[in-house]
């Protein structure tokens, strides 16, 4: 054990005090990026690495659909060097917030060039077994494009380009980080396909709280039903719940899943009245807190895959 005398302790303190300004300066030198919600913030952090300080307006386990911005959010935008949004109508509150903030930061729409699918704004039919055609935003595009891993590769490319335009001096770093993360996305996509291929086709049917897995359905051959539309702002009425229960019984849907952003009581009622079992907690529109099972996009998709596989196999 090494003991420091008074002079040694004083010298160490002086070193720490001297380091503080340089550490603060290094933090200030980072590009300040603001993302609208936690999944997007993780993607920005993956591409930006240690050159970017990322802030998420809507945090883990929080619902971006009905989010109410705060004055603090406006300040974050005013101080930002780059703003990253999902687009496709997901953040209906964002345009007003940007105007209120007076921010002049460039805007990156992460979903640019994504081939969209239609989302269900009503409750006539939430079975996503037949997605695969293109719909524009005017046709109520489903904004949850990140549920298809191939789309997230486009997100990463768009984020890379946005960071490069805002900070060209670090273009090589952003390009390398994006390429490395894209390789991880390719591995994740293959993992999902292999795991679901082991589940019999007739069992690949589940119930989720709201209509947020359409892209997953189209990409990976799962069938999802939901009592709510693509936004959690829409409420499921008694007819919607009764319709879902009838369909569960008719099609022998094996499992009901509660999304992390949703009140579990509705899905518990549906499970109780239909006879389906309640599967694990799944993550649709938000990551978990850092210590949870889904602190990043890759972990989120694997956590959902595990829940699906355990309930359906």
């Amino acid at each position: 054990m090494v003991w420091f005398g008074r002079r040694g302790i004083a010298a160490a303190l002086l070193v720490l005090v001297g380091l503080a300004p340089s550490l603060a300066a290094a933090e200030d030198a980072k590009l300040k990026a603001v993302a609208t919600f936690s999944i997007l913030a993780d993607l920005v952090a993956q591409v930006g690495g240690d050159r970017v300080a990322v802030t998420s307006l809507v945090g883990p386990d929080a619902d971006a659909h009905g989010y109410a911005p705060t004055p603090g959010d406006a300040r974050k935008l005013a101080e930002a060097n780059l703003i990253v949004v999902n687009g496709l109508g997901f953040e209906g509150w964002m345009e007003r917030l940007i105007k209120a903030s007076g921010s002049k930061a460039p805007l990156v729409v992460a979903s640019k060039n994504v081939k969209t699918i239609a989302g269900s704004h009503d409750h006539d039919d939430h079975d996503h077994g037949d997605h695969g055609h293109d719909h524009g935003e005017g046709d109520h595009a489903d904004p949850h494009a990140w549920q298809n891993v191939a789309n997230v590769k486009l997100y990463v490319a768009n984020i890379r380009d946005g960071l490069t335009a805002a900070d060209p001096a670090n273009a090589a770093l952003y390009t390398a980080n994006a390429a490395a993360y894209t390789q991880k996305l390719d591995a994740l996509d293959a993992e999902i396909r292999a795991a679901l291929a082991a589940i019999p086709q007739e069992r690949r049917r589940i119930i989720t709280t709201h209509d947020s897995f359409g892209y997953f359905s189209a990409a990976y051959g799962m069938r999802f039903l939901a009592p709510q539309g693509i936004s959690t702002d829409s409420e499921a009425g008694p007819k919607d719940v009764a319709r879902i229960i009838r369909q569960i019984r008719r099609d022998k849907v094996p499992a009901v899943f509660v999304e992390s952003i949703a009140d579990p009581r509705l899905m518990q009622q549906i499970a109780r009245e239909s006879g389906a079992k309640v599967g694990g907690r799944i993550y649709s529109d938000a990551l978990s807190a850092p210590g949870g099972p889904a602190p990043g996009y890759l972990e989120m998709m694997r956590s959902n895959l595990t829940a699906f596989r355990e309930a359906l196999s």
Side-chain angles (χ1 to χ4, degrees), residues 290-309:
Y297 175 77
L298 299 177
E299 295 89 344
M300 179 191 83
M301 296 298 282
R302 288 192 171 102
S303 177
N304 288 347
L305 179 62
T306 297
F308 295 155
R309 186 172 52 200

Side-chain angles (χ1 to χ4, degrees), residues 39 42-43 144-152 181 184-185 187-189 191-193 195-196 212-213 215-217 219-220 224 281-288 293-309:
I39 296 171
D42 177 60
L43 298 180
H144 306 88
W146 60 85
Q147 290 294 346
N148 178 351
V149 177
N151 288 340
V152 176
Y181 193 70
K184 294 180 181 180
L185 292 173
L188 172 65
D189 185 76
E191 183 180 335
I192 293 172
R193 294 181 186 281
L196 293 183
S212 57
F213 287 89
Y215 289 92
F216 192 100
S217 171
Y220 304 115
F224 292 80
R281 193 182 196 198
I282 57 173
Y283 296 84
S284 56
D285 295 11
L287 301 177
S288 71
Y297 175 77
L298 299 177
E299 295 89 344
M300 179 191 83
M301 296 298 282
R302 288 192 171 102
S303 177
N304 288 347
L305 179 62
T306 297
F308 295 155
R309 186 172 52 200

Side-chain angles (χ1 to χ4, degrees), residues 54-170:
V54 187
T55 300
S56 179
L57 297 182
V58 184
D61 290 320
D63 185 1
H65 285 289
Y67 183 68
T70 67
D73 293 332
R75 287 193 295 272
K76 291 173 185 174
L77 294 185
E79 297 170 358
N81 303 119
L82 189 71
I83 299 171
V84 185
V85 302
N86 181 75
L88 302 178
F90 183 65
E91 308 99 334
W93 39 269
M94 192 61 182
E95 185 176 351
R96 295 188 302 274
L97 179 60
I98 291 175
K99 288 181 179 178
S101 73
S103 177
K104 303 300 181 184
L107 184 71
V108 173
V109 179
S111 63
K112 179 183 176 183
N113 297 326
V114 163
K115 184 178 181 181
T116 59
I117 62 175
S120 300
H121 280 256
D122 55 25
H123 301 291
D124 291 335
D125 187 4
H126 296 276
D127 189 335
H128 288 295
D130 301 314
H131 281 317
H133 47 290
D134 188 33
H135 294 268
E137 270 187 82
D139 295 321
H140 302 310
D142 184 340
H144 306 88
W146 60 85
Q147 290 294 346
N148 178 351
V149 177
N151 288 340
V152 176
K153 292 166 67 174
L154 292 175
Y155 277 47
V156 167
N158 291 327
I159 291 167
R160 176 203 62 207
D161 293 347
L163 290 172
T164 297
D167 180 25
N170 287 294

Side-chain angles (χ1 to χ4, degrees), residues 26 30 45 48-53 173 177:
K30 291 185 178 182
D50 61 7
R51 294 302 309 146
V52 178
L173 173 68
N177 287 350

